Structure formats: C-alpha cells, structure tokens
Amino acid sequence: MIISYLQDDGDAERVTTDDLSALEAAAIEEALGGTPWRAIEDRLRAQDPTAMRAVIWAARRRSQPDLAFSTFDLPQWRRRLSARIERFEIDEVLTNIMAEALAKNEDSAIDAMIPHLRRLAHDKADVDAALDDLGKGHLVPGRQDSAP
C-alpha cells in the first residue's frame, strides 16, 4: 500500500508499507492502540486518516526519532492524503477472486471487483496488466481478448 501526502510545494511524500520495518509496523500498531497490522491494512484501504497519518509518522521518525504521534499532524488531510494499493496487492486480490471464480466457472466476481481495484490502484494500468497475467484480459473494458 502506498500512502501519499501532497506537500505545500506540490511534491508528494510517498511511503509504501512494504518498506516498513517490523519495528516501524509495531510502532504503528502501538500508536493505534494495539490494533493488529491486518486491521491497520483494512483501515488503510478504507482511507482512514489516522492509519494513513501513522504510516507517514513512522517514516518521518527515521529522520526525527523523537517525533511524537500524539502531536504529529497532516494539515488539509482530506485533500492531500491518500492510500493506494500496489501491483502485488492487485495480483493477490485477483488471484483469490480467480480461484473462487474458477470454482464456480464464472467471471462475474472478477468483473465486479475491477472498478474497485481501479479506484484503489496507485497505477491503474496495473489492474489491466494483472488481468492479462491471469488470462482474463477480455475483462478489460474495450478489449475482446487477453492480449495486451
């Protein structure tokens, strides 16, 4: 998951949860009242501002070790803060849905998830690429076969 915060100068500060250390993840869990990491990931997908703030806070503590979560703030978070999924997360979702769809011999579950994945994707082209990799490129809007 990539957490982005748009700075005053227009540059985006981006932190991927994949680059967090185990200690940083534990500090985020503790800052969020002992919330387990799996629940934090769910909160990030739901665009929870406190969870997103905690990830940015953990990354900034690398250069500011004394930075306290209780006073750490991200002004104008509604317009500047977002969480987006990465390609490997899209692959995981589609692989899980694919297994269920194959068991039922239908594409409807995958097709229903595509708009949601596009909204959450950091790079929307990753959704099409993941569908192609699964042999489901025909589900890409405007495309008839699985060829890229």
Side-chain angles (χ1 to χ4, degrees), residues 20-30 37 40 58:
L20 293 173
S21 73
L23 288 175
E24 288 170 330
I28 291 169
E29 289 175 332
E30 185 179 323
W37 185 254
I40 292 169

Side-chain angles (χ1 to χ4, degrees), residues 2-142:
I2 297 173
I3 312 307
S4 299
Y5 180 67
L6 191 60
Q7 302 288 340
D8 290 336
D9 63 5
D11 287 338
E13 176 181 5
R14 288 187 176 88
V15 178
T16 174
T17 56
D18 203 36
D19 288 342
L20 293 173
S21 73
L23 288 175
E24 288 170 330
I28 291 169
E29 289 175 332
E30 185 179 323
L32 296 180
T35 303
W37 185 254
R38 191 71 174 133
I40 292 169
E41 287 179 323
D42 291 341
R43 289 174 64 174
L44 290 171
R45 279 189 283 280
Q47 305 298 302
D48 178 84
T50 304
M52 291 186 288
R53 179 173 64 102
V55 172
I56 298 289
W57 164 78
R60 287 195 189 172
R61 281 186 45 189
R62 293 170 184 162
S63 61
Q64 303 170 46
D66 295 331
L67 189 61
F69 182 69
S70 61
T71 58
F72 178 70
D73 196 12
L74 296 170
Q76 301 173 344
W77 68 268
R78 274 193 195 276
R79 289 181 282 148
R80 295 181 173 197
L81 193 60
S82 66
R84 296 291 179 254
I85 58 176
E86 297 180 75
R87 171 63 194 265
F88 75 91
E89 293 167 304
I90 294 167
D91 288 339
E92 285 177 6
V93 169
L94 288 176
T95 298
N96 290 338
I97 293 171
M98 179 76 160
E100 291 176 22
L102 287 174
K104 296 177 183 177
N105 198 23
E106 61 183 40
D107 287 340
S108 62
I110 297 170
D111 201 33
M113 183 57 73
I114 292 171
H116 181 66
L117 289 174
R118 285 190 194 290
R119 268 192 312 280
L120 285 176
H122 176 68
D123 182 348
K124 306 215 182 316
D126 284 346
V127 177
D128 296 349
L131 286 166
D132 284 334
D133 287 352
L134 284 173
K136 294 293 183 179
H138 64 279
L139 294 175
V140 174

